[in-house]
Amino acid sequence: MVRAAILPAVGAPLEIRDIVLPEPGPGQVRVRLTAAGVCHSDLSLTDGTMRVPVPAVLGHEGAGTVLAVGDGVTHVAPGDGVVLNWAPSCGACHHCGIGEVWLCVEALRGVGAVHAHDARGNELHPGLNVAAFAEETVVAARCVLPAPTGIPLAEAALLGCAVLTGYGAVHHSAQVRPGESVAVFGVGGVGLATLQAARIAQAGPIVAVDVSPAKEELARAAGATDFVLASDTTAKQVRALTGGRGADVAIECVGRAETIRAAWDSTRRGGRTTVVGIGGKEQQVTFHALEIFHFARTLTGCVYGNSDPARDLPVIAEHVRAGRLDLGGLVTDRITLDGIPAAFDAMLAGKGGRSLVVF
């Protein structure tokens, strides 16, 4: 028996209760969680924006220690620290074959599997493959990566989603070059990682945009040179801070129609707008044909930072060890499993950065 955060049904409140985990079978790994980040994607599962089988154990950004491995697992062993990879690539589909592993068609096939049972014997699914909102989890071997040396496991949990996404949005999707101006919309966990990644890319100016004035201190600590409180004049203010042209790159980390539109409007002619935030189908964004021609901007989606975790984790870890990337700076609250519902409420209210469940 281990404690876990369970989503019993879409729209229902989380339940923190005991579950029964199986022993790892062939090609599986059992992990004792050290920490798990509370991500907006978890919230998107609760309200149905992202659909997975329920009831499910949520949580997808985590790190911990291997307790046991099944037959055929050789890349990790009991006692090893690992980072969970919620979207593992198969290596065989078309997207993997052309190097777009973040679009692997098999990445989320595991969400339909039976992960565990509750105390009454009901089947539970792994929300986004790895079920990190639990004291322990059993995952496919391709869902664990060796934890980088020299980084505390609790903070390494953030590498599994927020940091890979924010770093990749800057370095892979938008391909920010030194001296380019960047505007980041949304200063949550991913937004803070994006700001730090823009600083690493030697961008400037770096403008942070958020609805909460309380986020300014967090944003500036992460690398923002300027802070704009979101309003009807956001695009005008961003243009004023970027030579009157608009930002070379705007990165949207919220997933709302009005924020995506504001990011687009804040981008200079010929610039790049990258959308990281996950919005629902009801979030309709409109453009007219003339502006698409006239502004010649590029609008792109960004999945998991367009990252390859196996390739990118060592690179990011070196930035952490060198002091260029501060994982602790993303965390505003350290909580227990019981604190996850309150962390969801804080996200909905636009408060704080990353909440980190520490076991």
Side-chain angles (χ1 to χ4, degrees):
M1 287 277 194
V2 299
R3 294 183 78 230
I6 298 169
L7 177 66
V10 173
L14 284 187
E15 299 176 1
I16 312 299
R17 47 191 171 93
D18 288 338
I19 65 170
V20 180
L21 278 175
E23 291 302 313
Q28 292 185 318
V29 179
R30 185 164 183 148
V31 178
R32 177 187 293 121
L33 272 297
T34 299
V38 182
C39 178
H40 204 280
S41 296
D42 299 307
L43 186 60
S44 294
L45 297 181
T46 69
D47 64 16
T49 298
M50 298 172 64
R51 290 280 183 174
V52 294
V54 289
V57 180
L58 298 190
H60 64 280
E61 180 183 87
T65 304
V66 174
L67 292 177
V69 300
D71 290 342
V73 178
T74 59
H75 72 296
V76 294
D80 288 350
V82 292
V83 174
L84 300 181
N85 176 12
W86 63 272
S89 55
C90 70
C93 71
H94 172 74
H95 289 291
C96 288
I98 61 175
E100 296 176 349
V101 298
W102 54 92
L103 298 179
C104 175
V105 298
E106 300 289 337
L108 292 180
R109 288 290 171 88
V111 301
V114 176
H115 171 71
H117 293 81
D118 65 16
R120 296 185 289 272
N122 298 311
E123 294 181 346
L124 301 171
H125 302 285
L128 282 176
N129 276 329
V130 295
F133 287 168
E135 294 168 330
E136 297 178 15
T137 188
V138 174
V139 300
R142 61 196 182 104
C143 288
V144 297
L145 295 167
T149 59
I151 298 175
L153 268 181
E155 294 185 353
L158 302 169
L159 299 174
C161 185
V163 177
L164 273 170
T165 300
Y167 182 88
V170 170
H171 292 269
H172 302 321
S173 181
Q175 297 183 13
V176 175
R177 298 181 288 268
E180 288 194 308
S181 56
V182 175
V184 177
F185 288 72
V187 186
V190 172
L192 289 169
T194 302
L195 288 167
Q196 291 204 42
R199 179 174 60 188
I200 290 170
Q202 301 178 53
I206 302 172
V207 183
V209 181
D210 201 273
V211 296
S212 172
K215 296 287 188 74
E216 180 170 1
E217 184 177 351
L218 283 171
R220 290 188 181 277
T225 58
D226 300 275
F227 181 84
V228 170
L229 193 62
S231 71
D232 292 340
T233 64
T234 293
K236 182 178 180 179
Q237 293 181 73
V238 172
R239 286 196 297 271
L241 292 166
T242 53
R245 296 177 299 275
D248 294 306
V249 173
I251 301 177
E252 197 272 357
C253 302
V254 181
R256 295 184 62 83
E258 60 266 33
T259 318
I260 295 170
R261 181 70 217 201
W264 167 269
D265 290 338
S266 299
T267 308
R268 68 165 173 83
R269 289 189 75 187
R272 290 102 70 199
T273 306
T274 294
V275 179
V276 175
I278 301 172
K281 294 178 180 179
E282 77 285 356
Q283 297 293 324
Q284 297 290 315
V285 188
T286 59
F287 308 91
H288 61 72
L290 182 59
E291 69 177 307
I292 293 174
F293 162 77
H294 173 74
F295 288 111
R297 297 166 178 148
T298 302
L299 177 67
T300 59
C302 177
V303 178
Y304 203 6
N306 293 10
S307 293
D308 178 348
R311 174 198 66 197
D312 293 330
L313 274 185
V315 176
I316 294 171
E318 184 53 37
H319 286 305
V320 176
R321 288 190 290 264
R324 292 184 291 269
L325 199 158
D326 176 19
L327 296 178
L330 308 182
V331 180
T332 52
D333 297 281
R334 293 177 184 262
I335 62 175
T336 65
L337 274 175
D338 298 287
I340 295 174
F344 281 175
D345 291 340
M347 275 194 291
L348 284 170
K351 297 179 179 177
R354 210 40 146 210
S355 292
L356 189 67
V357 181
V358 180
F359 295 92

